[in-house]
């Protein structure tokens, strides 16, 4: 004689089926992952330079990592840089973002829920360029002049701090808010007297169209700009496996981009974006690739983001204070480093930009 299962047993069986189904949905690969890049980029297909992410893009490593999973990879490039990326994050039009420190801080202040996954292009320099026949020779000469600053980007706050080093404020110049391409055009046509910007001005200099009268290279690391890969918090919670794959690829790209024997090949890959090889040579002259392309969420990176947040609040670039506590999510990076046997590959730096290992060694020597 067959006994009918009890109602309680049926309930348990149905609950088990439901839990299994929910687990399957949670672990299923997303149909698409969308990476927003805070630059217009260039080339065909569009790519960018100055970040190991550009290597992953050029080599289709991310597409390879998701091959066979049913997940499509989309790259979206934003001429409006960090502010435009924030808008896309807010509207859930992208899942991951490569952007600079100040835009990320502004987004968090405005309520964007993101997690910073790894550094991707740190210690970027800032330059001041002028038209080729300009008589300006330094920061002090910018007072009262029409100067381009791309407001809301990670170069904006550094420009303010650079001006402050010469006892100048943003009000002492006639600031003009122009994106990178517009600023270059204005500089060449004498539409502005000077422009703050990055490595893109080396191309104009080498063409004899502009002069570079100031550089942060070799100065206090606090005058450098940081960039990172971040993810929408809700996407990360729903798709941890996909997030791990993305981080694995960016770490692979960081490792390749940190090898000095790849310097020539690296600059050639980045040159596909439209910024010439010679510009990358100039930007990275005297720098170690492993320092500039480190993915580590070390004390230097976290301290810089907190300093940017504090300065932005003081200068009223944001209305609400931002804390980095809980913003950085290192577990995916740590897993990627361990999986690839890269733990200890990069030097961790302290808040002042000095090797943290040196501090530990000094403390150990003092204790002996």
């Amino acid at each position: 004689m067959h006994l009918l299962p009890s109602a309680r047993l049926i309930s348990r069986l149905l609950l088990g089926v439901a839990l299994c189904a929910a687990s399957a949905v949670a672990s299923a690969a997303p149909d698409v992952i969308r990476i927003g890049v805070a630059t217009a980029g260039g080339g065909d297909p569009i790519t960018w330079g100055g970040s190991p992410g550009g290597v992953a893009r050029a080599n289709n490593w991310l597409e390879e990592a998701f091959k066979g999973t049913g997940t499509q990879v989309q790259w979206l490039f934003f001429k409006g840089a960090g502010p435009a990326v924030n808008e896309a994050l807010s509207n859930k039009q992208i899942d991951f973002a490569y952007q600079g420190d100040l835009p990320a801080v502004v987004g968090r202040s405005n309520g964007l829920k993101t997690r910073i996954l790894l550094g991707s292009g740190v210690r970027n320099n800032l330059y001041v360029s002028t038209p080729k026949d300009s008589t300006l020779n330094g920061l002090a000469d910018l007072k009262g002049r029409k100067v381009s600053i791309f407001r809301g980007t990670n170069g904006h706050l550094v420009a303010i701090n650079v001006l402050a080093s010469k006892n100048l404020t943003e009000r002492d110049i006639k600031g003009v808010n122009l994106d990178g391409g517009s600023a270059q055009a204005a500089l060449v046509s004498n539409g502005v007297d000077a422009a703050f910007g990055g490595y893109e001005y080396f191309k104009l200099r080498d063409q004899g169209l502009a002069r570079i009268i100031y550089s942060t290279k070799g100065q206090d690391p606090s005058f450098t700009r940081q960039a990172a890969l971040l993810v929408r918090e809700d996407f990360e919670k729903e798709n941890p496996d996909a997030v791990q794959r993305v981080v694995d690829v960016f770490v692979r790209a960081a490792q390749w981009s940190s090898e000095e024997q790849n310097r020539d090949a690296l600059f050639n890959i980045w040159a596909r974006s439209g910024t010439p090889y010679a510009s990358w040579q100039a930007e990275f002259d005297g720098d170690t690739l492993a320092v500039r392309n480190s993915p580590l969420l070390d004390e230097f990176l976290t301290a810089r983001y907190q300093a940017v947040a504090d300065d932005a609040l003081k200068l009223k670039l944001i209305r609400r204070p931002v804390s980095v506590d809980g913003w950085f999510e290192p577990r995916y990076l740590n897993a990627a480093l361990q999986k690839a046997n890269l733990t200890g590959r990069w030097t961790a730096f302290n808040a002042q930009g000095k090797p943290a290992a040196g501090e530990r060694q000094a403390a150990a020597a003092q204790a002996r």
Side-chain angles (χ1 to χ4, degrees):
M1 184 174 63
H2 297 284
L3 297 177
L4 292 175
S6 67
R8 180 177 296 179
L9 179 58
I10 291 175
S11 177
R12 287 178 178 175
L13 288 171
L14 291 174
L15 177 61
V17 170
L19 289 173
C20 287
S23 176
V25 171
S27 60
D31 292 334
V32 62
I33 59 168
R34 302 159 299 177
I35 306 102
V37 183
T39 177
D44 184 18
I46 299 175
T47 186
W48 84 106
S51 161
V55 172
R57 162 64 168 164
N59 290 325
N60 294 313
W61 285 349
L62 205 53
E63 289 78 0
E64 288 177 9
F66 282 94
K67 189 175 182 179
T69 66
T71 298
Q72 180 187 2
V73 177
Q74 293 181 356
W75 297 85
L76 296 96
F77 293 81
F78 292 84
K79 181 182 178 182
V85 165
N86 281 342
E87 185 176 348
L89 284 168
S90 177
N91 294 328
K92 296 189 176 182
Q93 295 171 331
I94 56 175
D95 309 304
F96 295 85
Y98 165 82
Q99 67 176 169
D101 44 30
L102 178 59
V105 164
V106 171
R108 189 164 180 83
S109 177
N110 289 333
L112 281 183
K113 296 186 181 299
T114 58
R115 306 301 296 274
I116 295 177
L117 300 170
L118 51 81
S120 189
V122 299
R123 301 194 185 215
N124 293 295
N125 296 301
L126 189 73
Y127 306 93
V128 176
S129 187
T130 68
K132 61 177 182 178
D133 297 324
S134 172
T135 58
L136 304 185
N137 290 305
L139 292 174
D141 297 333
L142 299 182
K143 188 172 183 178
R145 300 288 188 155
K146 187 185 292 185
V147 182
S148 168
I149 296 180
F150 196 174
R151 293 195 175 99
T153 66
N154 66 350
H156 182 191
L157 194 57
V158 175
I160 291 173
N161 290 332
V162 163
L163 288 170
S165 71
K166 297 298 182 182
N167 298 314
L168 296 172
T169 70
E170 197 172 359
R171 292 182 179 181
D172 290 320
I173 64 173
K174 296 176 182 176
V176 181
N177 185 24
L178 296 174
D179 64 51
S182 300
Q184 292 176 63
L187 198 72
V188 172
S189 64
N190 290 291
V192 293
D193 298 310
F196 280 96
Y199 46 75
E200 63 271 14
Y201 287 106
F202 285 119
K203 180 179 180 179
L204 296 184
R205 181 199 66 179
D206 294 344
Q207 292 174 337
L209 299 174
R211 296 167 52 233
I212 292 176
I213 64 170
Y214 173 83
S215 168
T216 61
K217 182 180 282 291
Q219 298 194 48
D220 190 323
S222 67
F223 282 170
T224 61
R225 303 174 290 155
Q226 322 308 320
L229 178 72
L230 51 83
V231 64
R232 282 192 294 110
E233 192 174 283
D234 54 354
F235 183 90
E236 182 256 329
K237 288 179 179 178
E238 294 168 5
N239 304 281
D241 293 342
V243 173
Q244 188 63 65
R245 283 179 190 255
V246 172
V247 172
D248 288 349
V249 169
F250 269 73
V251 167
R252 176 188 176 188
Q255 161 63 3
W256 188 90
S257 303
S258 294
E259 297 295 334
E260 289 298 331
Q261 66 264 30
N262 295 334
R263 182 176 286 253
D264 182 71
L266 175 64
F267 295 166
N268 275 311
I269 287 176
W270 285 347
R272 298 180 194 175
S273 66
T275 299
Y277 178 99
S279 296
W280 298 116
Q281 273 188 316
E283 166 67 14
F284 280 76
D285 182 44
D287 291 341
T288 303
L289 291 181
V291 173
R292 295 288 302 272
N293 292 318
S294 169
L296 298 186
L297 301 176
D298 57 13
E299 188 180 348
F300 173 72
L301 193 65
T302 56
R304 288 311 312 147
Y305 270 76
Q306 188 61 67
V308 165
D310 295 343
D311 285 348
L313 183 65
K314 181 175 65 178
L315 294 165
K316 298 182 180 180
L317 299 178
I318 57 175
R319 296 180 180 179
R320 290 185 291 272
V322 168
S323 171
V324 299
D325 293 342
W327 192 11
F328 288 72
E329 176 49 87
R331 69 187 178 101
Y332 298 100
L333 175 60
N334 291 339
L337 294 174
Q338 188 172 11
K339 188 188 309 181
N341 294 317
L342 292 173
T343 302
R345 167 63 182 89
W346 289 276
T347 300
F349 291 89
N350 64 18
Q352 290 71 44
K354 304 295 183 183
E359 283 185 344
R360 292 194 292 271
Q361 291 169 0
Q366 216 171 23
R368 286 197 293 268

